[in-house]
Amino acid sequence: DDMAQGPQNKSELKARIRDMTAEDQLDETTLDHLVALADADIKRELRVLEVERSVDLTLANELETVPTRFLGVRSFWLATSGGRQRLRRLGSEQLLTEYGFSSVGTPIAYAIEGRENALPVFRLAPIPDASYSAVLLYSADPALLADEDSNEILLKWPDIYVYGALVHAAPYLNSPERVSEFGTFYQRAIDGTVAADRRDRWSGSTFSVTPAYGEGC
């Protein structure tokens, strides 16, 4: 049944939000806004396996651009002749204090620095004296941008997106008191997903528990 299945992409998610609010004034622009607000909350609160990505990098310059949709580092390793070496994460000031502006050699540490209107960069120290292979495990922005976009969070835990959007729908609801109810369901879904992720990582559990989709509707 369509209601039980849950939305499969952003377009279906917006249709579900409109159905659950029964508000005709929720036009496409408003629905896009609600999904974007839900995305923002999810980016802040959800750091689980489903948002992690791994990429091989070549480090050859002092500044290297982070991957598209980068949110944060989970681990950063340099491939060496002796195996793998974990790169240290330092603040920019500490990095320059410890290594200066011209130290050259095998990278040992990095800092993350922002750039106006561009992706952030890794500042490496010492500055690479050759090309080095590295493996970056990072949290990626799962945002739903186009109507056909989907992601593992929406497919596995649609309640997170639906209730996350509805929490921000107060100005459009005839029953604004439901916002608190939606907020409870949203936080329960987030907490349950994070707890399940921790169990999976540490105990090998093969199942996760989130509130029944559509509960309380």
Side-chain angles (χ1 to χ4, degrees):
D1 141 319
D2 289 341
M3 286 299 290
Q5 180 184 18
Q8 301 295 294
N9 55 36
K10 181 181 177 181
S11 178
E12 293 182 14
L13 171 62
K14 292 192 295 185
R16 186 64 54 88
I17 294 166
R18 183 185 282 116
D19 288 345
M20 291 180 66
T21 58
E23 291 293 331
D24 293 335
Q25 60 183 306
L26 294 184
D27 57 23
E28 287 297 303
T29 299
T30 300
L31 289 166
D32 283 333
H33 180 61
L34 293 178
V35 173
L37 290 172
D39 266 325
D41 287 338
I42 290 168
K43 283 188 284 189
R44 281 190 293 268
E45 300 183 55
L46 204 61
R47 291 292 189 273
V48 293
L49 187 64
E50 283 71 17
V51 300
E52 291 182 5
R53 301 292 181 267
S54 179
V55 62
D56 295 326
L57 299 177
T58 298
L59 308 180
N61 303 293
E62 181 180 10
L63 301 180
E64 297 287 352
T65 303
V66 305
T68 303
R69 294 204 172 199
F70 172 88
L71 287 180
V73 172
R74 298 292 294 180
S75 64
F76 201 177
W77 297 86
L78 194 70
T80 68
S81 57
R84 293 195 304 173
Q85 171 189 306
R86 185 186 291 273
L87 296 172
R88 297 171 60 206
R89 168 77 181 270
L90 300 175
S92 295
E93 185 174 345
Q94 184 180 1
L95 189 82
L96 293 175
T97 298
E98 290 193 20
Y99 297 97
F101 291 90
S102 57
S103 176
V104 176
T106 302
I108 297 173
Y110 70 95
I112 299 176
E113 299 180 353
R115 295 186 298 171
E116 186 175 1
N117 300 322
L119 288 170
V121 293
F122 296 120
R123 180 180 293 277
L124 302 168
I127 299 170
D129 58 356
S131 293
Y132 292 87
S133 297
V135 178
L136 172 69
L137 179 65
Y138 66 101
S139 297
D141 182 352
L144 302 173
L145 303 178
D147 276 352
E148 63 272 16
D149 283 357
S150 187
N151 61 40
E152 291 187 74
I153 297 170
L154 178 64
L155 297 178
K156 288 187 175 182
W157 309 295
D159 46 349
I160 291 178
Y161 261 107
V162 173
Y163 291 126
L166 290 173
V167 165
H168 295 283
Y172 311 98
L173 296 178
N174 289 324
S175 302
E177 67 277 1
R178 296 206 68 190
V179 172
S180 176
E181 177 185 359
F182 293 145
T184 298
F185 290 139
Y186 170 75
Q187 197 58 54
R188 189 187 303 174
I190 287 284
D191 292 345
T193 300
V194 170
D197 181 73
R198 289 173 180 167
R199 287 196 304 271
D200 291 347
R201 289 177 191 265
W202 294 102
S203 66
S205 171
T206 58
F207 66 94
S208 59
V209 179
T210 57
Y213 178 69
E215 181 179 355
C217 298

